[in-house]
Amino acid sequence: GDSVTQMEGPVTLSEEAFLTINCTYTATGYPSLFWYVQYPGEGLQLLLKATKADDKGSNKGFEATYRKETTSFHLEKGSVQVSDSAVYFCALSRAGGSYIPTFGRGTSLIVHP
Amino acid sequence: SQTIHQWPATLVQPVGSPLSLECTVEGTSNPNLYWYRQAAGRGLQLLFYSVGIGQISSEVPQNLSASRPQDRQFILSSKKLLLSDSGFYLCAWSGRTGKETQYFGPGTRLLVL
């Protein structure tokens, strides 16, 4: 079955540091890939997505590239801020399946001033 | 634009009491609807999903149930709450193709004492 693996957290960084959160996936066919962010006490919201190989999703300074050859969708940001502290979820969904998306376990990011 | 509502925002209930959480979606029709639970510091657990009125699929056997009485209304219920039912409950909707973004509500924090 489909699966998403994210790096274990928490990831702790100082403000303005470079961020990478690794995500790899297993799926048949050609899934869409997503990064969602969850701020404390809130629901998840879409951060960025990519729908086909070599697509780059970007939003709020975050980027991720759909790499089919390595089945990866790593999240990056060049300079994190305290306000980026949140839990980040990598996910995939695909047509022809059961309408159930597959989520990673989430990676907590803590940014210190 | 589409909006998803959940209520109540917070709920404290004694063990053995009933539960009813409601989720409604505005601005779209025929959505797929989902209920997730998130235990403290953990990932998402899919509880139920629905692809249409009266069509409910259960992912986890437990003392919870779900109903979809109207196209854009999704209700999570229990006849008798357990301590282990405590958590953060999230409702979400998506389009019908299977590759689409999930849109989450603000969540309901349930504490069973």
Side-chain angles (χ1 to χ4, degrees):
Chain A
D2 298 345
S3 67
V4 174
T5 303
Q6 289 182 237
M7 59 190 296
E8 293 284 333
V11 173
T12 304
L13 296 173
S14 297
E15 204 164 25
E16 299 183 2
F18 184 86
L19 168 71
T20 299
I21 300 178
N22 291 337
C23 171
T24 57
Y25 69 92
T26 302
T28 57
Y30 301 91
S32 293
L33 302 176
F34 305 85
W35 277 102
Y36 292 87
V37 59
Q38 184 180 29
Y39 298 103
E42 299 183 7
L44 281 72
Q45 57 184 275
L46 178 69
L47 180 59
L48 53 84
K49 68 177 184 181
T51 58
K52 60 183 186 297
D54 300 324
D55 268 2
K56 177 186 284 187
S58 62
N59 186 25
K60 299 181 181 179
F62 291 89
E63 293 183 340
T65 301
Y66 189 142
R67 301 288 189 198
K68 191 159 181 64
E69 64 276 12
T70 55
T71 62
S72 64
F73 193 53
H74 304 321
L75 182 68
E76 297 182 336
K77 186 175 185 182
S79 176
V80 294
Q81 306 300 311
V82 173
S83 57
D84 294 326
S85 298
V87 180
Y88 293 81
F89 291 90
C90 186
L92 69 84
S93 63
R94 58 184 177 87
S98 61
Y99 302 106
I100 301 174
T102 301
F103 283 86
R105 293 177 61 83
T107 301
S108 175
L109 171 65
I110 302 169
V111 181
H112 294 294
Chain B
S1 64
Q2 301 91 353
T3 309
I4 180 168
H5 302 280
Q6 281 187 249
W7 64 90
T10 305
L11 194 59
V12 180
Q13 292 285 94
V15 169
S17 63
L19 173 74
S20 181
L21 303 181
E22 190 163 342
C23 170
T24 59
V25 180
E26 296 177 357
T28 187
S29 58
N30 295 320
N32 289 345
L33 295 173
Y34 305 82
W35 278 112
Y36 293 90
R37 179 169 59 200
Q38 193 175 27
R42 305 290 297 274
L44 295 174
Q45 179 187 33
L46 179 64
L47 301 175
F48 302 94
Y49 72 97
S50 171
V51 298
I53 296 173
Q55 300 178 62
I56 308 295
S57 296
S58 173
E59 291 299 301
V60 182
Q62 57 204 336
N63 68 320
L64 299 173
S65 62
S67 62
R68 184 172 177 172
Q70 301 180 43
D71 180 48
R72 290 171 289 178
Q73 184 184 30
F74 205 23
I75 298 171
L76 183 69
S77 303
S78 175
K79 293 182 179 178
K80 289 186 176 182
L81 284 168
L82 307 173
L83 287 174
S84 58
D85 291 325
S86 294
F88 192 47
Y89 288 81
L90 289 163
C91 181
W93 74 271
S94 74
R96 305 304 299 273
T97 68
K99 295 188 71 172
E100 300 187 37
T101 302
Q102 288 221 315
Y103 298 93
F104 287 81
T108 294
R109 189 160 304 280
L110 172 66
L111 180 60
V112 182
L113 300 175

